[in-house]
Amino acid sequence: MPPTDAREPPFEQDTLSESAPLWRSLDELPARTASASPDCPTLDRRQFLRLTAASLSLAGAGACSRAPQQMIVPYVHAPPQLVAGDPLYFATATNLGGAAQGLLVKSNYGRPTKIEGNPSHPGSLGATDIFAQAAVLDLWDPDRAQAVLHQGQVSTWDSFVEALSARIAKLSVNAGSGLRVLTESVTSPTLAGQLHALLERFPGARWHQYQPINRDHAIEGSRLAFGEVLEARYHYDQARVVLSLDSDFLAAPGVRYARDFVGARRADDAQPDPGRLYVIECTPTLTGSFADHRYAARFGQIETIARAVARAIGLPVADGPDAAVLPGDALAACARDLKLHAGHALVVVGDAQPPVVHALAHAINEALGNVGRTVNYTAPISALAEPQGESLRQLTEDMAAGQVDTLIVLGGNPVYNAPADRLFGQRLAKVGLSVHLSLYDDETSALCHWQIPEAHFLEGWSDTRAFDGTVAIQQPLIAPLYGGKSAHELLALLLGQTASNDYQTVRDFWSKTRPQADAEVIWQQALHRGAFEGSQLPVRPASIRSDFLRAPATSIPDNTELDLIFAPDPTIWDGRFANNAWLQELPKPLTKLTWDNAALVSPKLAQQLGLVNEDQVELRYRGAVVLAPVWIVPGQAEATVTVTLGYGRSRAGRIGNGAGFDAYVLRRSDALWHGQGLQVRKTGAKVPLATTQHHFSMEGRRPIRVTTLDQFHRDPALVAGDLHRPPRPNMYEPVRDEGYAWAMSINLDACIGCSACTIACQAENNIPIVGKSEVRRGREMHWIRVDRYYEGAAEQPRTYFQPVPCMHCEDAPCEVVCPVEATVHDSEGLNLQVYNRCIGTRFCSNNCPYKVRRFNFLQYADEDTESLKAQRNPEVTVRMRGVMEKCSYCVQRITNARIEAQKGNRHLADGDVVTACQAACPTEAIVFGDLNDPRSQVNRAKASPLNYALLGELNTRPRTTYLAKLTNPNPELSQIRVGDAKADG
Amino acid sequence: MSSVGVHSYGSISQKISGIVLTAGTARWWVISFAACSLLTLVFFGAIGYLFYTGVGIWGLNVPVVWAFDITNYVWWIAIAMSGTFISAVLHLTRQPWGASISRFAEAMTVFALAIAGMFPILHLGRPWFFYWLTPYPNVMALWPQWRSPLVWDFFAILAYLLLSLLFWYLGLIPDFATLRDRAPGRGTQITYGLLALGWRGEARHWQRRQSAQLLLAGLAVPLVVSVHSVVGLDFAAGNTPGWHSTIFPPFFVAGAMFSGFAMAMTIVVLLRRAFQLGDYITARHLDNLAKLILAMGLVLAYSYVMELFMAWYSADRYEIYTALNRMRGPYAPVYWSLIFCVVVVPQALWSRRVRHSPWTLFGISILINVGMWLERFMLIVTSEHRDFLPSAWGMFYPTIWDWAILIGSIGFFGWLLLLFVRFVPVISMAEMRELIDHQRGAS
Amino acid sequence: MNPEHAAHGLLAEFPSPAALLQAARAAHEAGFRRLEAYSPMPVEGLVEALGSTDGGLPRLALIGGIVGGVLTFALQWVSVTIDYPLNVGGRTPAWPGLIPATFEMTVLGAALAVFFGVLLRSGLPRLYHPVFNDDGFAAASSDGFFLCIDAADPLYDPRQTRSFLENLQPVRVAVVDA
């Protein structure tokens, strides 16, 4: 892990200053001059030297995690311990989907270049999801909004302040009636504080919340179950049997639940009962793929199932339609399993499911005595835990009625992502003054009077709550590149605190909440650790109501009609990441599609409608129509079409515009997640899609070895593992690595297929994106890809994931065929790729059985865009066209660690070197270390009977090996797995 | 027996040097030269764009990182095989009938080899660094990596090209002397005079030249075999299923002879027609050539069967899959059309009537060359596109630039040949004179 | 033509290879040693008839081959063991991989030796030679067969040698100017 606990120079009160001129990183200075921001320094030699000094002092004093501004101020004496060029790490946090992830951001001379998880933050524990990894690219995105716009014309912040002050004056007379503030879910205590202050100052004002991926149903479910809104906090590490009803709790955003769940069911810890996961879902998800038993069900059937389970464990549930929707007595067996593990079981429900299902789950957990063990209840972490759909309804109706004369939209993009029937864009025209604070000049900005560039979370101060309520300070690493403003600053303006900046706002808020005496210390610790100690929300007693149990079933599925299901996109979420090239090109875990969304259909439905992949269909739902390409997904519930949100953007930027189709067009306020009566018509046209994996069967080759737990216990030797196999003969004297011998182990039993490793690697190693057409040609550049295989019937397949980086074979076939020694072995067992020696014969790729080598067929690396240059990792070469590249085991990290060790004149300890993929992995599936160190983690992993080499029969002697996957099927239901595991051989 | 008997020493010089020395140029030559020049421009235009943009203009990807580029390379180098080989073998076995076809067979070798030699450079990601294959400690004091078959290629092509040139030129010297002595104009005389190196037909010179030709021929045969074995090793040394097989070197040698003979046939028929060389290149020549083609065709057919057998016999899941995939996979049409062109079509050569109808032979030889190109494409692409890990399987689709470079290279070959027949005697006059001598002696 | 005038020698043209062969034998028996025969194609036995043998090319080829092969192998071996040893694919230096290049260079070495051996021994390229002064000599590259007795031959005498040649039924006999 990065050095968070670096030496901390004594904190000097006098270095604090309110209005210190902000320092900008050297690298983007030239680029700055183009920008419209008035306070842009023009660079002469003296200033340059000043800035250099500044950067040094920042770098040095920043050795403790504090904000740039405070470091910068003095512009004097760089601390002696400073080593120029050494990167530094600052603790901050990001927030997506309402829960924070603590981060450590790497800063090179003040340029944020790489994001890691913060080990001391409960929402991260050191890992990150793909969105956090990719956030650094958003920061440097050249397409970001760069100027204040008024009616689309470039204006200035000052003239906006003028305009707004005039409006405020007007508002103050009528108590602010007609003032509306629209935000997304707010978990920032400071922001909430400001909003409440605003409502106090303007009693007539209203605060509305809306984000397209919201938790309304969970909130209503909680009301139904408890009569109040409570936040369920799950303890998957305590749960032995988990039943997920359409919940994708393993997937991003957030990584903590995945860590808890997978960590607790590792087979290698002498865990007697590694637990069992049942998933019943409509569309295949990461969670479903990881399940021991997964069943596809239509949306409406989930409630039926929930009721059946409740009834089976003895809850007085009103009789609904019987739950003969699962094969055999699966449901009964599952219920028995839950009962058997009462107190260590858990039933979770997806946010899309109707409130009653949530309520039923609460009741079941209560009845099983899980509450207090596998689930706790706290106050909601969101500052305004009310259904957002309702909130949006009120707002849009007021807008329609012309009662809104000032609308402040803080973030979000409602014009694009509000339900179609809310006609947000249309009604926005009736608003007297509309202001949009946004990272991009997007669809909403276009229809607002004012567009204010928003400060990226790495550019401004704030705070945010983790899933358990723990508060993290979001501290900036760099001053706003384009003069962006934060929501805090905008609200301060409305509150008339014109002098205040976001640092002051956040700082003051927390000094108020803490005893004056040690406020400073607490603040410093919070910044340093990235979280306020003990700020998580206290557990609240929850008393379940029973009235709703007797109520009749709400959703009776009509099996004659087609289901339409809306889901957040796995890589670009609700569309906010549409212009993030890394996420656009990241293969979606299950479809392996890039750059597009598609209408996902089951093989059966495709057959009925005579559809094949890439066929264009017309989706008609309640009058709204979109054209979408079809993608067939094994395991999809039949008669169900799933569309993911976030595509079809018109003002996302150069990357996101025009990609995919806009599913929001079909979305209705009363059918946010699911609707029935979808009509699908084949147009006959084809829509080219770019997938990175064309073949999903293992062809009996067993790249992934899988077995059941009891089979493993019965005969570990029989299992996949190579432990008991004699080493294969070698014609040459094997080469010994004297010093270190680097190696990797990837635990397929822990891998959930989330692809965080792929993005982390892309960010760390300056891996270029190639674009849709090149991906279609099969030229994607990812150094670590996540293969996905299916096994079994197309309707109910087993899904396996396998991350595949370079294997660093000891007898590397690639090296032998290179005519110019551009790929050779080093003394520590790394298979090196020497870019400046490579002439591009591509023979190495031919000879690589794993096909992990990537070739720059064209000039992929963007060498023109200044801001993207600033993002790159200065320790990794940017490759030119015509050269081969591949996973290097993050050789730059190894080298840095070795240098550090040599400075301390010590031998590298296990864990000193952490590869980018390993650091990001939410489930610690990837282990890296030194084979010559007998006590190293990687040696322990390789000693496991589950250890095996991919394509070991080729005798390439790979340094990267895998741990076979274990499943733990319910013996009552184990007709499946065991057979497959054998058939697979 | 060839009917040079009707000719005298003089009339041979007359006839053959006449082709070169006559001022006027036949209409067919002008037309085909124009056409070939156009294609040559396409060729070098495409190469220019390739160097400017990168190999991405082709349909390549991972896993199919080689396709048309290496296919063309192997195809051309195989065509280059026959020339030197034919004349060398004919020299060693003192086959008089070979005299009339060896000259342009050698020319064919030199040109085809020159083109083949371009592709290993064209296919590089950074072609301007191709010289890093030369054996000296160049950038970063690194040597070539001697184990790489690509380095072997470098040496093989170098040796083959030089030896073929020397062999060809040594044969040409006396004919250049003839042209020098018969040249109508001063310019022509000086040009050919320089090329003739002052040859004056001294008895000792003749003798040395003969033994030298014999030695070079003796060296050429093993060299030719080694060159094509090395080309075979480019694949056999890799671990890709469908390549990793010891059958490849002999298999490639056979295939090379096959396509070489076929190309020789194509050109023989055309030349014969163009210059009314019926007296020199007789039905017997065509017949013999056809028999060689048939024989080689059978050897090749045998290798195909062996490939399948070895795949099955190896019991290697990957080999077996690749073999089946060739016959049933997405590229099956390529496989079956090559089987038709290379295995089925040549069987027609059993018939004497076919062997004695030049235009039928011409058609067959064309089909064979097409088939041999398809064979190389099949060998390379079907092996690459589905190797070990199903997750990494992919497809290759050619782009317009793939085609431009293939067709352009054919045009360039024709362009060189046309220049050759216009400015160099297509048949060795000296050897023709010997032939007369022999026949006089015989009768 | 003026016999006193310094000449390169006497040139006699014959109608056929056979005639040239006879004439050459006769001349050699008559004791002439500085003889040279010119023909448009190799004539068997002519060199022997002129009383000279010429070999040595095979030896050249052998030497060339050995030099090419040994140098190439040595170069490779030194580079992988002494100059710049590297771990390539976990293989220790081994000779089999070095053979292909060695073989090719062996052949090339031999070929070069042979080719240039021929030229050097034959004194080629030599664009000017006295025999070219004879106007009819052009036929030597087409259908003329010539025997030339060098003026520097000890037995050479303008008149007797000419008559000697004329007795061999040549097409014609001419003096070649130096």
Side-chain angles (χ1 to χ4, degrees), chain B residues 349-388:
Chain B
L349 296 173
W350 289 102
S351 133
R352 192 169 185 291
R353 243 179 60 256
V354 172
R355 292 206 305 274
H356 281 256
S357 119
W359 291 113
T360 324
L361 290 174
F362 180 76
I364 291 177
S365 64
I366 293 288
L367 275 180
I368 290 177
N369 274 307
V370 172
M372 289 309 288
W373 189 91
L374 292 175
E375 184 220 47
R376 276 49 174 269
F377 180 84
M378 183 276 294
L379 277 181
I380 293 170
V381 172
T382 59
S383 303
E384 283 176 309
H385 90 118
R386 289 185 176 178
D387 67 344
F388 295 96

Side-chain angles (χ1 to χ4, degrees), chain B residues 9-10 13 135 137 140-147 152 155-156 158-160 162-163 166-167 169-170 173-174 177-182 193-194 196-213 215-216 219-220 222-223 226-227 230 233 430 433-434 437-438, chain C residues 15 17 35-42 44 46-48 50 52-54 57-58 61 72 75-76 79-80 83-84 86 88 91-94 97-98 100-101 103-105 107-108 110-112 114-116 118-119 121-127 129 131-132 137-138 140-143 145:
Chain B
Y9 305 123
S13 319
M140 303 193 277
L142 280 170
W143 294 81
Q145 203 280 101
W146 309 103
R147 274 198 193 81
W152 305 345
F155 286 101
L158 184 71
Y160 194 22
L162 287 179
L163 185 134
L166 300 181
F167 193 54
Y169 186 60
L170 197 60
I173 291 173
T178 309
L179 293 175
R180 172 197 63 201
D181 297 341
R182 305 176 67 90
L194 290 171
L197 304 177
W199 180 266
R200 37 186 199 279
E202 271 187 32
R204 284 187 199 73
H205 296 185
W206 279 118
Q207 194 199 29
R208 294 196 189 102
R209 175 175 167 280
Q210 272 180 303
S211 61
Q213 277 183 308
L215 283 165
L216 288 183
L219 292 166
L223 178 64
S226 80
V227 167
V230 165
L233 288 173
R433 298 191 195 99
E434 282 187 83
D437 211 20
H438 281 290
Chain C
L35 286 168
E36 193 47 75
Y38 304 91
S39 58
M41 80 272 196
E44 278 184 51
L46 192 54
V47 176
E48 294 72 11
L50 295 172
S52 80
T53 52
D54 179 283
L57 271 182
T72 311
L75 182 78
Q76 300 180 74
S79 74
V80 293
D83 185 53
Y84 207 139
L86 276 168
V88 172
R91 274 78 155 171
T92 43
L98 312 183
F103 176 82
E104 306 295 342
M105 289 301 102
V107 175
L108 185 58
L112 291 172
V114 169
F115 181 80
F116 291 104
V118 174
L119 294 191
R121 280 161 167 268
S122 310
L124 296 176
R126 176 180 178 183
L127 297 187
H129 190 281
V131 285
F132 289 132
F137 187 76
S141 68
S142 165
D143 55 2
F145 301 85

Side-chain angles (χ1 to χ4, degrees), chain A residues 732 735 810-812 815-816 825, chain C residues 84 86-92 94:
Chain A
Y732 296 89
V735 182
E810 291 181 0
D811 294 351
E815 295 174 1
V816 187
H825 251 65
Chain C
Y84 207 139
L86 276 168
N87 175 354
V88 172
R91 274 78 155 171
T92 43

Side-chain angles (χ1 to χ4, degrees), chain A residues 82-99:
Chain A
L82 165 71
V83 181
D86 275 5
L88 297 154
Y89 290 83
F90 296 90
T92 181
T94 182
N95 181 326
L96 175 64

Side-chain angles (χ1 to χ4, degrees), chain A residues 569-599:
Chain A
D569 190 85
T571 62
I572 67 166
W573 197 237
D574 60 3
R576 74 186 62 211
F577 299 114
N579 209 54
N580 187 308
W582 291 351
L583 290 170
Q584 282 281 14
E585 195 154 299
L586 179 70
K588 321 221 181 262
L590 280 129
T591 58
K592 294 294 162 192
L593 285 175
T594 62
W595 292 99
D596 270 299
N597 58 341

